[in-house]
Amino acid sequence: MIAFLRWIRATFLSVLNGLAKVVFVLLLLFVVLLVVSLLRGDGLPGNMVLTMDLRQPIADSDAARSGAASLWTARRLTVMDAVLELDVAGRDSRVKGILVKLGNGALSSAQGQEIAEAFKRFRGHGKFVIAQASAFYGSGLGDYLAASAADQIWIQPMSDFAVSGAGVGEVFLRGLFDKIEAVPQIAKRAEYKSAADMYMEKQMTPADREQLTALTQSVYNAGLSDIAAARKMKPDAVRQALDASPQFSEEARKAGLIDRIGYDDQAKGAALGRAGKGAKDVTLNDYADAVQPVFTTPNIAIIEAAGEIRDGTAGKSLLGGGEGIASDDLSDAIRQAAKNKSIRAIVLRVDSPGGSVSASDQILHAVKMAQKAGKPVVVSMGSVAASGGYYISTSADKIVAEPATITGSIGVLTGKVSFGKSITLAGANAEQVAAGRNTLMNSPLAPYTDDQWASVNRQADAVYADFTSKVAAGRKLPIEKVRDVARGRVWSGSDAKAHGLVDSLGGFWTAAKLAAGLGKVSPDDMVFKVYPAPTGVLGSLRRMTGGLEGGLGALQRIESILDLPAIQALEGGISELPGTRGRAPVELRAAHLPRP
């Protein structure tokens, strides 16, 4: 026994000693990197052209990055990175312009509009933007909307130009379920709430077809207007040019959609030549990592809320946090911003298709408490701010959306799909035993009884009534009007504004200026602080250095798991069947829409 206790003591001391060594090495590394960074300055050339690659799907903000961080791979750019970093670069006299690679169809229309606005702001400082594409493969408008804000658009000779318009598609599984005797029972409020139609229907319902037709037409019209203004063309001329797609690059140039035919090295040479003698190219990420922070007191909080809304807290590791919107984490971030005396207003950046109703309500409560504490809140909507994404926005002092933002979807889904009979068709069997009348109510092995189905519908009715009442109170609209524009219907940002669900059309900077006005801060004096703060060892190092990243090199680079555009386009449509985790989720979830 004594020998065993000695072994435990020795093991404990060994582990403790190992941990102490790790901590010491990390602190030593931090000190060395900090000293090196301070000695070398930011290390950037005095004349440079920034480069940015938008050929892969891009998350709206850090909160939406999926996958684990890697110590040895570069961090992936986000929309908010581009917006904020281009603003810094625009005021840096060493930066002459930016060369952007795109064309793979990775951007949604709303993302294209946001990035186009960032390019216009950048050019307003006397900088240039050159967009270069091997081809424009995607038929959607997003990539080309971003490119249209450039001084020049380059494309390779004899390459595809497929940009055409906006479209959506859905997959329906009801026929398959009938064949395998699966029973879908999902209550939706109301007729436009189509996220569960893939389980319940064999084809588009008339209501779903109506809303999708209106949505795609609105996004298309807004895109045509933006492109026409940027390219100095008439909307009809743009429409005719896009209707000719798919076409070759030479045809697109003749139509006025493209400026130059050339390869990537030629576009890069043109950019460096325009910048002047001795110009060097620097990636936007490397530029952001190297630029020394200005130690000033923040007065505007940016709270990033991107991804599916879930209850609780995100999984955390030594390197950092998890993905999506965790209600505990986001609520804490809002409370931290509200308690910061220097913060005069909050910009809540929302990019979410929704999720848990209880999690959404927890976040909305935190927003209301921040407002009660005297912090005005302005919501800036990304590509999607629907269902739960709209729910958490309802009490904001102002809501800003891009014309192509998918928003609204004020409705509810709850129910399950039961597979008990399906299992027997495969030669298997499943049985259940429980104490308590409704203990296994949400089991996927058996359908609801009549009483249970009635209970599910009562629950849906109650949540829907509560949701619409919160919208009416937050938006200061008559409940009758809210009920008319709700019904689970998704709207474009343009149409949402026309129905009173959104206050202004625009991107982050529109929202920031509104927040500054409400917080009595001059737009020229805005200083931002981003919430939630980074977590884990790498996040702690970032906070300790006040955002200093240049000296951290590879240790500070994060790469998320690659999402294929074709899979991303389904918006998670077939990723999870309702009720397969032993409960019936009451959810505020948008329709599974592609990225128009």
Side-chain angles (χ1 to χ4, degrees):
M1 184 63 181
I2 294 176
F4 177 70
L5 292 176
R6 287 176 178 172
W7 177 82
I8 291 178
R9 179 176 179 274
T11 301
F12 175 76
L13 291 175
S14 177
V15 171
L16 189 63
N17 184 52
L19 290 174
K21 289 180 179 179
V22 170
V23 172
F24 175 77
V25 169
L26 287 173
L27 288 175
L28 181 62
L29 177 64
F30 165 71
V31 172
V32 170
L33 292 173
L34 180 60
V35 171
V36 170
S37 182
L38 291 174
L39 288 174
R40 76 178 179 89
D42 62 24
L44 294 171
N47 182 14
M48 63 184 128
V49 173
L50 301 182
T51 62
M52 179 165 61
D53 195 332
L54 296 176
R55 291 175 294 181
Q56 299 297 332
I58 183 171
D60 189 75
S61 64
D62 280 332
R65 287 179 175 141
S66 60
S70 169
L71 285 174
W72 316 116
T73 55
R75 66 181 177 88
R76 292 278 294 279
L77 187 76
T78 69
V79 172
M80 287 302 296
D81 285 340
V83 168
L84 296 174
E85 290 165 11
L86 282 173
D87 179 64
V88 174
R91 291 179 277 110
D92 188 337
S93 61
R94 299 172 298 174
V95 176
K96 303 303 188 295
I98 186 167
L99 175 64
V100 185
K101 291 187 176 182
L102 36 64
N104 286 10
L107 300 178
S108 71
S109 291
Q111 288 177 330
Q113 289 168 339
E114 183 77 72
I115 292 172
E117 187 60 36
F119 287 161
K120 293 175 187 176
R121 186 179 177 89
F122 180 75
R123 290 176 63 188
H125 292 283
K127 318 292 183 179
F128 66 84
V129 178
I130 294 178
Q132 188 273 329
S134 299
F136 280 93
Y137 294 111
S139 61
L141 299 176
D143 282 28
Y144 189 72
L145 277 167
S148 68
D151 297 82
Q152 293 181 352
I153 303 176
W154 288 59
I155 190 171
Q156 285 186 194
M158 288 299 294
S159 62
D160 293 331
F161 185 91
V163 181
S164 180
V168 300
E170 295 179 326
V171 175
F172 298 92
L173 302 177
R174 182 58 186 264
L176 172 63
F177 284 175
D178 288 348
K179 289 183 178 181
I180 64 173
E181 298 186 44
V183 182
Q185 294 172 290
I186 302 172
K188 65 178 185 179
R189 297 296 182 274
E191 70 269 28
Y192 293 102
K193 194 73 173 179
S194 63
D197 285 358
M198 67 184 302
Y199 312 121
M200 299 293 293
E201 307 290 342
K202 294 182 178 180
Q203 60 188 17
M204 279 188 189
T205 64
D208 193 24
R209 186 173 296 277
E210 176 192 351
Q211 71 172 341
L212 294 182
T213 300
L215 175 67
T216 53
Q217 191 64 53
S218 178
V219 170
Y220 179 63
N221 291 343
L224 284 181
S225 178
D226 289 347
I227 292 168
R231 298 293 299 172
K232 295 179 174 57
M233 299 171 62
K234 293 182 179 180
D236 284 344
V238 175
R239 181 181 288 105
Q240 291 176 12
L242 296 184
D243 282 347
S245 294
Q247 55 193 301
F248 287 114
S249 49
E250 288 78 5
E251 296 168 316
R253 184 186 180 190
K254 289 178 182 178
L257 299 175
I258 300 297
D259 298 297
R260 298 287 299 273
I261 303 295
Y263 293 92
D264 57 341
D265 61 329
Q266 294 171 322
K268 180 178 177 180
L272 293 174
R274 186 165 175 175
K277 185 177 180 181
K280 305 292 184 183
D281 61 293
V282 177
T283 70
L284 185 61
N285 272 347
D286 286 346
Y287 173 81
D289 289 346
V291 172
Q292 301 293 330
V294 178
F295 295 98
T296 55
T297 303
N299 49 34
I300 304 290
I302 301 174
I303 299 178
E304 298 179 334
E308 185 176 343
I309 301 173
R310 298 184 174 93
D311 291 279
T313 185
K316 297 180 179 179
S317 69
L318 180 68
L319 298 178
E323 60 181 289
I325 302 172
S327 59
D328 286 1
D329 298 340
L330 188 61
S331 297
D332 285 344
I334 295 169
R335 285 190 282 267
Q336 289 170 19
K339 289 178 182 178
N340 189 332
K341 294 181 179 179
S342 71
I343 296 297
R344 306 289 294 277
I346 295 171
V347 176
L348 178 60
R349 177 72 177 190
V350 179
D351 189 85
S352 172
S356 164
V357 64
S358 57
S360 300
D361 199 47
Q362 179 185 356
I363 295 166
L364 177 61
H365 171 72
V367 171
K368 290 179 177 178
M369 292 300 100
Q371 291 173 298
K372 189 175 180 179
K375 310 291 185 181
V377 177
V378 176
V379 167
S380 170
M381 292 181 167
S383 289
V384 181
S387 292
Y390 189 81
Y391 190 108
I392 67 176
S393 307
T394 53
S395 78
D397 296 87
K398 297 290 181 182
I399 298 178
V400 178
E402 293 287 1
T405 296
I406 298 172
T407 189
S409 193
I410 302 167
V412 183
L413 292 172
T414 183
K416 68 177 182 179
V417 179
S418 52
F419 296 94
K421 292 183 179 180
S422 306
I423 292 174
T424 63
L425 293 177
N429 187 37
E431 297 182 356
Q432 302 180 110
V433 175
R437 181 180 179 184
N438 291 318
T439 303
L440 297 176
M441 174 177 171
N442 295 315
S443 166
L445 297 179
Y448 294 122
T449 65
D450 290 343
D451 288 344
Q452 290 170 343
W453 181 237
S455 175
V456 168
N457 279 277
R458 285 195 298 272
Q459 188 178 25
D461 288 336
V463 174
Y464 182 59
D466 183 60
F467 192 174
T468 52
S469 67
K470 284 183 167 68
V471 174
R475 300 299 302 155
K476 297 178 176 57
L477 294 171
I479 188 65
E480 294 79 13
K481 182 173 182 178
V482 172
R483 289 170 181 159
D484 183 55
V485 300
R487 297 150 66 191
R489 180 162 181 167
V490 292
W491 303 95
S492 68
S494 298
D495 290 343
K497 183 178 183 298
H499 287 91
L501 299 178
V502 165
D503 295 294
S504 302
L505 296 179
F508 168 77
W509 290 110
T510 301
K513 289 177 181 177
L514 287 172
L518 292 171
K520 295 180 173 55
V521 174
S522 169
D524 295 329
D525 296 330
M526 289 187 294
V527 180
F528 301 111
K529 179 176 176 61
V530 179
Y531 296 84
T535 58
V537 171
L538 299 183
S540 298
L541 288 175
R542 287 183 70 175
R543 291 196 301 273
M544 290 171 68
T545 59
L548 181 62
E549 296 179 345
L552 295 179
L555 283 174
Q556 195 58 36
R557 302 181 184 278
I558 300 171
E559 182 175 25
S560 53
I561 296 174
L562 179 64
D563 294 320
L564 295 176
I567 294 176
Q568 203 175 60
L570 291 175
E571 295 285 353
I574 56 175
S575 62
E576 181 177 317
L577 295 177
T580 57
R581 294 188 178 182
R583 63 182 180 89
V586 181
E587 297 187 332
L588 307 167
R589 189 182 298 276
H592 299 306
L593 299 173
R595 298 151 60 85

